[in-house]
Amino acid sequence: MVFSVSVFASLVPYIVSALLLFLLLEQLSYLIKKRNLPGPLFVPPIIGNAVTLVRDPTSFWEKQSATAGISGGLSANYLIGKLIVYIRDTELSHQIFSNVRPDAFHLVGHPFGKKLFGDHNLIYMFGEDHKSVRRHLAPNFTPKAFSTYSVLQQLVILRHLRRWDESFSGVSRPVSLRNLVRELNLETSQTVFVGPYLDKEARSRFRTDYNLFNLGSMALPVDLPGFAFGEARRAVKRLAETLAVCAGKSKERMASGEEPTCLIDFWMQAIVAENQPPPHSGDDEIGGFLFDFLFAAQDASTSSLLWAVTMLDSEPEVLSRVREEVGRIWSPESNALITVDQMTEMKYTRSVAREVIRFRPPATMVPHVAATDFPLTESYTIPKGTIVFPSVFDSSFQGFTEPDRFDPDRFNETRKEDQVFKRNFLAFGWGPHQCVGQRYALNHLVLFVAMFSTLFDFKRFRSDGCDEIVYSPTISPKDGCTVFLSRRVAAYPNFSA
């Protein structure tokens, strides 16, 4: 025993020296890869500034943006053994979005997305495989499909608005909308995407697992039992398995000739109609792809709906114009659903929806990993393995007329800033991986704004810093959009009639 202790004691100086050498080499590697980019000169060993990011993501990213703003649009940092490069400049961001391919950049959706989201994921695909899957998604976004989704969206929205009225309308205390909107969107996504294939018990498990995923996506990437990230990864696996079962049931139903009633039906109807199954149409792969849609629709829509209420409260004239336009086109007293044609008529309300997404893009950055050394500028080459963060948020405040002002009229038929500054409107991405569901997302926001503003009076409960941005994981107001609610109609529409 004495011999073992003495041997260990003799090894201590070598162990300490090796550890110090490792730390020195890590710092040197970071500085060499960072080169002339602004960023911290010293980073905490191994984990880098991951703790700072997890504790206060808003301040972390604001500092990266501010640093990039005074240095050519780029800044650097270090997270969990990886150099990160933040891109503030729109044209440099386009270089990333336009070069998503095996030998340039890989879209990951999250700094540690591949481990979190699993193998069957549309965002990791390239070339012909990616094009084939997107081509087979086309039946999900036809006029008939959008009409079907619109019905389901309105039924869910009205059901939740009625609950809000019963629980909170007219009471003296305000209510935070964050969790209420999240629940509304989760039920909307479940109903629109997989409709009749989730029973009540499955929906409850689904909600629990999705909440675990949300928590884990904001945690340190420790993939061990008891840690939020590990729990999130296992929750994603269960969610994808549940969605894979839904895909199998839909195939059976569509093969029997029944009419589609949800998104998975429109998709599977096209697949079963082919002579042989197309590539990547197995149930497990479809389940993974569906989780992509769920992640994109759920958290992004929650962000947009909260900011829509926030901005409508802050801009009374905008709210008045929305109500005037919706009132000319649709009345709750008609007991009729808003049709797709009526949504098209709501041009100003759609401009409001687009401005909400520009002014507060839900996913402020779109992380990619460099598959090889990539010369981004004349003076800087992104090293292989670097996690790159093109900032959608910063691009939204470049180019546009008075970009810091909330101004839906920028998207009207006279100014057409969505075309004039098209390259700056990156909320739905750009290039081969541009969001396939952007029209669905806009429709959902238009329907919510139209119904919420028509059926409710609302007033924000203002507190210090209530409009500050927080990440959860997409951005939302710091106070969760806390409002006083009261019903403004004599009776709710009876859609069942």
Side-chain angles (χ1 to χ4, degrees), residues 89-401:
D89 180 80
T90 297
E91 292 308 314
L92 295 180
S93 291
H94 273 276
Q95 288 200 48
I96 310 301
F97 288 123
S98 299
N99 285 285
V100 177
R101 58 177 195 269
D103 61 345
F105 292 100
H106 297 182
L107 174 63
V108 292
H110 182 279
F112 305 96
K114 206 150 193 177
K115 180 177 284 190
L116 181 60
F117 294 137
D119 296 327
H120 302 306
N121 205 289
L122 184 61
I123 64 176
Y124 304 139
M125 300 181 76
F126 303 100
E128 288 305 315
D129 283 345
H130 181 246
K131 290 178 182 176
S132 174
V133 172
R134 286 180 72 103
R135 190 164 52 247
H136 284 95
L137 289 173
N140 294 343
F141 306 110
T142 61
K144 181 179 179 182
F146 280 124
S147 180
T148 299
Y149 308 156
S150 171
V151 171
L152 299 174
Q153 288 167 296
Q154 290 175 77
L155 291 173
V156 173
I157 291 171
L158 179 61
R159 184 156 56 245
H160 280 259
L161 294 185
R162 291 180 70 112
R163 288 178 194 162
W164 300 359
D165 180 21
E166 292 166 3
S167 301
F168 308 108
S169 181
V171 300
S172 58
R173 60 187 176 88
V175 58
S176 171
L177 294 183
R178 180 186 287 134
N179 289 335
L180 298 178
V181 168
R182 182 175 287 163
E183 287 295 312
L184 182 157
N185 278 330
L186 186 57
E187 184 179 347
T188 304
S189 299
Q190 291 174 334
T191 304
V192 171
F193 294 169
V194 291
Y197 306 113
L198 282 179
D199 58 27
K200 187 176 181 179
E201 182 182 349
R203 285 175 181 257
S204 178
R205 290 197 308 269
F206 205 100
R207 182 183 299 106
T208 300
D209 280 337
Y210 198 84
N211 286 336
L212 288 173
F213 162 74
N214 260 335
L215 291 172
S217 67
M218 300 291 291
L220 289 171
V222 181
D223 191 10
L224 294 172
F227 287 84
F229 185 87
E231 293 300 320
R233 187 185 62 78
R234 285 178 281 279
V236 170
K237 185 173 184 293
R238 292 191 296 270
L239 288 166
E241 288 171 351
T242 298
L243 293 168
V245 171
C246 294
K249 291 178 178 178
S250 176
K251 285 177 181 175
E252 291 179 7
R253 189 166 166 271
M254 292 302 98
S256 69
E258 295 190 43
E259 281 294 307
T261 60
C262 59
L263 182 146
I264 189 67
D265 283 349
F266 284 101
W267 191 0
M268 297 304 102
Q269 184 184 55
I271 284 177
V272 300
E274 300 204 8
N275 293 327
Q276 57 182 14
H280 308 291
S281 60
D283 292 352
D284 288 342
E285 287 182 286
I286 297 294
F289 299 154
L290 276 172
F291 181 77
D292 288 354
F293 298 164
L294 180 75
F295 173 58
Q298 168 66 18
D299 292 295
S301 288
T302 297
S303 171
S304 293
L305 268 57
L306 291 173
W307 285 113
V309 176
T310 299
M311 300 318 300
L312 289 172
D313 174 79
S314 300
E315 304 287 341
E317 183 182 346
V318 173
L319 175 60
S320 177
R321 289 178 64 183
V322 166
R323 284 174 168 164
E324 188 277 329
E325 177 182 73
V326 173
R328 281 190 289 104
I329 297 168
W330 173 75
S331 168
E333 296 176 0
S334 68
N335 291 328
L337 294 154
I338 300 171
T339 66
V340 172
D341 288 340
Q342 286 175 318
M343 265 197 290
T344 303
E345 287 184 63
M346 296 178 184
K347 296 185 185 298
Y348 183 74
T349 307
R350 185 165 292 269
S351 291
V352 170
R354 292 183 69 83
E355 179 68 343
V356 167
I357 292 171
R358 181 203 69 86
F359 196 74
R360 290 292 182 264
T364 60
M365 295 158 293
V366 187
H368 295 67
V369 172
T372 186
D373 293 350
F374 187 90
L376 185 65
T377 69
E378 292 182 0
S379 61
Y380 188 71
T381 294
I382 296 176
K384 178 180 178 180
T386 301
I387 304 177
V388 184
F389 290 85
S391 174
V392 170
F393 187 91
D394 285 314
S395 290
S396 290
F397 292 88
Q398 297 169 23
F400 292 98
T401 306

Side-chain angles (χ1 to χ4, degrees), residues 45-64:
I46 303 174
I47 64 172
N49 284 306
V51 173
T52 304
L53 170 60
V54 171
R55 282 180 178 170
D56 189 354
T58 303
S59 295
F60 180 88
W61 292 119
E62 283 180 350
K63 186 175 180 180
Q64 290 298 136

Side-chain angles (χ1 to χ4, degrees), residues 62-90:
E62 283 180 350
K63 186 175 180 180
Q64 290 298 136
S65 176
T67 304
I70 58 174
S71 59
L74 299 173
S75 63
N77 214 309
Y78 191 71
L79 298 173
I80 317 290
K82 294 283 188 182
L83 175 73
I84 71 163
V85 172
Y86 183 96
I87 302 179
R88 178 187 173 109
D89 180 80
T90 297

